[in-house]
Amino acid sequence: ILDYSFMVQLNSQLTLLYAIVLSAVGLIVWRRGHRPARYYVVAWTAYMIGVLSQVLYVLGSIPYSEFVENGARWGGFANVLLLSLALADRINTQKRETENARQRALESKKEAELARADALTNLKRFKNLFDNAAEGIFRCNPEGRFINLNPAFAHIFGYRSADEMMEEVTDTKNQCYKNPADYEALEKVMARIGRISNIEAEYLRKDGSSFWCTSSANLVRDENGKPQYFEGFLIDITEKKEKEAALREREAAQASAQAKSEFLANMSHEIRTPMNAIIGFAALTHKTNLNNKQRDYISKIESSSKNLLGIVNDILDFSKIEAGKMDLENLEFSFNDVINDVVGMLSHKAAEKSL
């Protein structure tokens, strides 16, 4: 049978060992930043002191005292008190953490509400920009069906609304492009590089009339790289094209008029040289011995040559008028001389017809 004193000592030693182990563990946890662990370390240290003093008294190593005799009780009391403080501190810490978590949750909720409000504001701003843009904005799938488009896009193609166009247009290539090959070419470029920029093409309105637009777009793919849809915008450049065509026609007309003026000027100069020679020789012939009939013929040749030279000069005047270089003169002339010249020019024709 084991002695009571021995059992007390054994129990005290085991309790002391248990307290030492717990104190060591508490110290390690404390050093790692766990605040309540300090209460556990102090509590088990106090308990060890009480138990150790009682063991030493039983062994006769220290004299009797009330604290020594009741060391285990005092140590246990201190242990319970400090452990209670640790529990209370832990509860308070959890309350603070819970309150902090609640505050963070409220702040996160408030931030989420603000972010949602900003997102709605930005969405509304984007929708206003989308609806009121002068350019035609679109989004269509690879099969050629429109997913979304703004009112300007529908109006460019002659539709009353975006919904009407999305409902009626089922084949973009054949219903919107005057030349379907243009759509196929754009589709190949999009598949190869994923975007196009400022590409001009001729399109068809709802009523079948054609117009010119410049387009820019990009291809949107999913996370697997599969094409999802095309998105981009169109700008109507029909008026610009018409102005360019009118300018080309005007330049062509100016070039034609210039060429005609140069031709007339060259032709007139080529005719004027022999006419001057004819007039000169006619004047020299007048100075020779001629009968009256011959002199009349030479006079008519000279008069007709001068009239023809006047016509050549008039041709040059027309060239000057077209070039804007014509200067008008106010000169006196003899009406009888003009009539005689005309009669002389036409008398041989009248004689041929016995008039």
Side-chain angles (χ1 to χ4, degrees):
I1 299 174
L2 297 175
D3 183 59
Y4 173 75
S5 177
F6 173 77
M7 292 300 297
V8 171
Q9 294 178 21
L10 180 61
N11 184 53
S12 299
Q13 290 173 0
L14 292 175
T15 303
L16 182 62
L17 178 62
Y18 176 67
I20 291 172
V21 173
L22 291 178
S23 297
V25 174
L27 184 61
I28 293 172
V29 176
W30 185 10
R31 290 187 58 136
R32 291 183 178 177
H34 194 272
R35 288 182 67 253
R38 68 184 186 275
Y39 293 104
Y40 288 93
V41 173
V42 176
W44 289 112
T45 301
Y47 185 69
M48 282 189 297
I49 293 173
V51 172
L52 183 60
S53 64
Q54 188 173 9
V55 170
L56 292 176
Y57 166 72
V58 172
L59 296 175
S61 299
I62 59 175
Y64 170 82
S65 68
E66 185 177 352
F67 175 76
V68 170
E69 183 180 9
N70 300 295
R73 293 189 184 93
W74 287 108
F77 174 76
N79 183 273
V80 172
L81 177 62
L82 291 169
L83 290 177
S84 298
L85 291 174
L87 181 60
D89 183 72
R90 178 60 181 168
I91 292 172
N92 290 331
T93 300
Q94 289 179 343
K95 286 183 178 179
R96 287 194 300 271
E97 290 177 352
T98 302
E99 182 62 23
N100 291 336
R102 191 177 71 84
Q103 290 295 333
R104 287 194 297 271
L106 291 175
E107 291 175 359
S108 298
K109 181 180 179 181
K110 186 176 181 180
E111 291 175 357
E113 290 176 351
L114 291 175
R116 182 174 178 272
D118 290 340
L120 291 175
T121 301
N122 292 332
L123 181 62
K124 184 177 180 180
R125 188 181 297 115
F126 172 78
K127 189 176 185 305
N128 289 335
L129 180 64
F130 180 80
D131 291 338
N132 298 319
E135 298 82 4
I137 303 172
F138 69 93
R139 179 183 293 173
C140 67
N141 59 26
E143 290 74 33
R145 289 296 300 267
F146 287 109
I147 301 172
N148 195 10
L149 48 88
N150 69 338
F153 189 93
H155 295 158
I156 290 174
F157 281 85
Y159 292 87
R160 292 190 300 271
S161 67
D163 292 336
E164 180 188 12
M165 185 171 184
M166 286 191 292
E167 182 179 353
E168 294 187 10
V169 177
T170 58
D171 185 359
T172 305
K173 179 174 72 173
N174 294 306
Q175 290 182 261
C176 295
Y177 283 80
K178 184 174 182 179
N179 184 7
D182 291 339
Y183 177 87
E184 295 174 356
L186 294 179
E187 196 173 35
K188 291 179 180 178
V189 174
M190 292 288 284
R192 188 173 70 253
I193 63 176
R195 60 184 177 83
I196 58 172
S197 180
N198 297 324
I199 302 298
E200 294 183 0
E202 197 168 6
Y203 296 84
L204 291 176
R205 295 189 181 92
K206 180 182 179 181
D207 59 7
S209 60
S210 62
F211 65 99
W212 283 88
C213 274
T214 177
S215 62
S216 298
N218 65 288
L219 174 62
V220 178
R221 301 178 182 271
D222 59 17
E223 61 275 6
N224 298 321
K226 183 179 179 181
Q228 284 189 302
Y229 55 83
F230 304 104
E231 62 182 8
F233 63 90
L234 289 177
I235 300 177
D236 191 343
I237 58 170
T238 304
E239 184 177 353
K240 175 186 173 184
K241 284 286 187 180
E242 291 175 349
K243 289 181 178 179
E244 290 176 351
L247 180 60
R248 287 194 297 269
E249 292 176 359
R250 179 183 176 185
E251 291 174 350
Q254 289 177 343
S256 175
Q258 180 67 23
K260 182 177 70 175
S261 298
E262 292 176 357
F263 170 76
L264 291 175
N266 293 333
M267 182 190 70
S268 299
H269 285 296
E270 293 294 332
I271 295 175
R272 182 181 294 179
T273 300
M275 289 306 303
N276 285 327
I278 293 173
I279 293 172
F281 280 112
L284 292 174
T285 305
H286 266 295
K287 297 178 181 180
T288 61
N289 295 324
L290 299 173
N291 56 38
N292 292 332
K293 190 173 184 180
Q294 290 174 333
R295 190 173 299 278
D296 180 59
Y297 288 161
I298 294 299
S299 297
K300 290 179 178 179
I301 290 174
E302 184 179 9
S303 176
S304 298
S305 299
K306 289 181 179 179
N307 290 332
L308 183 58
L309 185 61
I311 294 173
V312 171
N313 290 330
D314 290 340
I315 292 175
L316 287 176
D317 289 340
F318 278 115
S319 300
K320 291 180 180 179
I321 291 173
E322 290 182 349
K325 298 179 180 179
M326 181 64 182
D327 296 325
L328 298 179
E329 295 179 345
N330 186 8
L331 299 176
E332 294 182 358
F333 67 95
S334 172
F335 184 75
N336 290 330
D337 290 342
V338 173
I339 295 299
N340 290 331
D341 289 340
V342 172
V343 171
M345 290 173 55
L346 300 179
S347 61
H348 66 286
K349 290 289 183 181
E352 291 177 356
K353 296 180 179 182
S354 301
L355 294 178

